[in-house]
Amino acid sequence: MEDKRNNEFPESYPMTGGVGAYSYVQNSKYQRGYVEAAKEVIKEAIVKKFDINCLSAPLNSIFVADLGCSTGPNTFLAVQNIVDAIEHKYQLSEDRDEIPEFQVFFNDHASNDFNTLFKSFPPKRKYLAAGVPGSFYGRLFPKASIHIFHSSNSLNWLSRVPKEITDKTSRAWNKGRIHYTNAPKDVVEAYSTQYAMDMESFLIARGEELVVGGLMALLIASVPDVILSSDFTICTELELLESCLMDMEKVGLISEANLDSINLPLYFPSPKELMAAFERNRRFSIEGIQELGIQDKQLNLQSLTLTLRAGLGGVLEKHFGNNIIDEVFDRFSKKLATTPTLLNLNENQKTSLLFVLLKCKPND
Ligand SMILES: C[S@@+](CC[C@H](N)C(=O)[O-])C[C@H]1O[C@@H](n2cnc3c(N)ncnc32)[C@H](O)[C@@H]1O
């Protein structure tokens, strides 16, 4: 039996579960903006590019998977957009009038709070639903079984923190930083190499699982260039967070060793890096790649702090324990109050949302 590599990637950093004040469910409106921004392009992509003939008769069902679904609710919106678009495509088509059944797979790490997700499935959904735990950097589905893959806000998470950056003997040791923002070249390279390897694993797995003619719609936060500096809003946020942790280290709330060993497994690829990964893989044709504008970027101090906490609270908690998390984000919101530019993303956002549409080609 071929190695499906599902268990090779033990690192996972799920969003904060449940439906409480700090949960992803309550604090993912910013990410929802991405899904909303992509609604029309995905609809158009499906109408123009989805090949109804890629369904295998007599099964005649459409299998859709959302990768990195978290606990909701954005995943439900994304999936509904896809189902509506396919229905619309059938309505436009002359020779196929019977709309097939939809089976939707919701994927995330096994440590994701799937119970919260399952409890909030929309009651009137037009699809059958199932959860699929496991890393999307490995195989998740049988060969040639999925017609449409979707993923939003998830392909910025690396499968792991690059090894070298926690190795004191390495030139890439990332002492005193929690990310590669404004870091030396070796650190940036370690991150970008990890991303390239992860994308390769991701594309190999999806290339096996998609039917020929199947589509993959990806929404990825991206930066114009490989080098990150605090010119990018997300990086300034991470620097602020880093400075809060450093302050806490100075007053003895966390140890120097503990601070030095934390690194966020987040990466913001440039369009060029992504194109290179797709071209290396060769299993997909690039049907579209475009930057999307995000409509609602109005975050206030509280919502920005809570959004970051819902996303990164889990990583910090895993590393430092849960006693310091309130303190970290208290300090973060106080610092944020003195950095008002971060709150006006319309003017200051240089991290963009990239929409990529890939189509699975026949094997060479
Ligand atoms: C920011 S949330 C995005 C959730 C949702 N797609 C949205 O747009 O609101 C990122 C999700 O990706 C998941 N994720 C990250 N790496 C993953 C991996 N290798 N395999 C499966 N899920 C992963 C995380 O656990 C998290 O739930």
Side-chain angles (χ1 to χ4, degrees), residues 134-153:
S135 171
F136 51 53
Y137 291 123
R139 283 285 304 279
L140 296 165
F141 303 99
K143 282 188 176 168
S145 62
I146 303 293
H147 299 101
I148 299 191
F149 277 118
H150 174 272
S151 183
S152 61
N153 300 297

Side-chain angles (χ1 to χ4, degrees), residues 67-336:
L67 305 174
C69 61
S70 190
T71 47
N74 302 341
T75 185
F76 303 128
L77 180 64
V79 160
Q80 193 55 51
N81 289 346
I82 293 172
V83 169
D84 289 347
I86 299 176
E87 282 192 349
H88 181 63
K89 166 126 192 157
Y90 269 82
Q91 279 146 9
L92 296 176
S93 128
E94 284 164 10
D95 37 325
R96 295 260 192 153
D97 45 9
E98 200 184 320
I99 297 176
E101 279 193 308
F102 293 94
Q103 167 77 61
V104 177
F105 297 107
F106 293 88
N107 155 259
D108 209 291
H109 280 300
S111 53
N112 180 54
D113 181 3
F114 278 102
N115 282 333
T116 291
L117 179 83
F118 293 163
K119 279 189 233 155
S120 49
F121 275 152
K124 291 198 179 143
R125 63 188 182 274
K126 294 189 244 170
Y127 49 85
L128 302 162
V132 176
S135 171
F136 51 53
Y137 291 123
R139 283 285 304 279
L140 296 165
F141 303 99
K143 282 188 176 168
S145 62
I146 303 293
H147 299 101
I148 299 191
F149 277 118
H150 174 272
S151 183
S152 61
N153 300 297
S154 304
L155 278 165
N156 294 104
W157 287 88
L158 297 170
S159 68
R160 53 170 305 132
V161 169
K163 270 200 190 104
E164 316 84 285
I165 68 167
T166 53
D167 174 359
K168 287 185 186 169
T169 63
S170 163
R171 277 184 13 190
W173 184 33
N174 200 21
K175 181 170 171 50
R177 275 177 299 270
I178 63 169
H179 194 232
Y180 61 100
T181 309
N182 293 332
K185 193 168 137 272
D186 290 317
V187 175
V188 180
E189 267 172 26
Y191 266 94
S192 67
T193 304
Q194 183 67 50
Y195 193 76
M197 288 190 307
D198 285 347
M199 267 319 267
E200 185 182 347
S201 305
F202 178 83
L203 293 171
I204 290 174
R206 303 295 84 77
E208 299 261 317
E209 296 166 348
L210 258 186
V211 299
V212 170
L215 295 179
M216 181 145 72
L218 308 176
L219 294 169
I220 304 173
S222 159
V223 296
D225 204 335
V226 181
I227 305 296
L228 267 195
S229 72
S230 16
D231 283 351
F232 303 106
T233 315
I234 180 73
C235 305
T236 320
E237 288 167 10
L238 298 181
E239 276 187 291
L240 265 193
L241 187 63
E242 184 177 278
S243 71
C244 297
L245 292 168
M246 283 170 129
D247 293 347
M248 289 173 70
E249 187 262 324
K250 281 185 201 129
V251 294
L253 289 170
I254 52 184
S255 72
E256 185 183 355
N258 227 358
L259 179 62
D260 283 346
S261 55
I262 178 142
N263 288 285
L264 300 175
L266 280 176
Y267 190 74
F268 301 94
S270 66
K272 210 165 136 196
E273 277 177 294
L274 283 171
M275 290 296 284
F278 304 145
E279 277 157 15
R280 271 194 304 272
N281 175 274
R282 297 155 53 125
R283 191 65 215 279
F284 301 94
S285 57
I286 302 163
E287 302 286 324
I289 180 159
Q290 72 183 91
E291 255 182 48
L292 300 179
I294 307 165
Q295 276 120 38
D296 180 14
K297 290 188 188 168
Q298 287 309 311
L299 287 169
N300 59 34
L301 194 148
Q302 199 195 12
S303 62
L304 180 55
T305 306
L306 288 170
T307 300
L308 208 73
R309 181 171 179 156
L312 299 180
V315 188
L316 299 180
E317 206 171 307
K318 206 167 170 177
H319 191 83
F320 296 110
N322 60 6
N323 296 342
I324 66 149
I325 303 302
D326 286 341
E327 173 86 25
V328 173
F329 287 98
D330 260 12
R331 285 172 181 258
F332 181 85
S333 75
K334 283 182 189 137
K335 286 207 181 207
L336 192 59

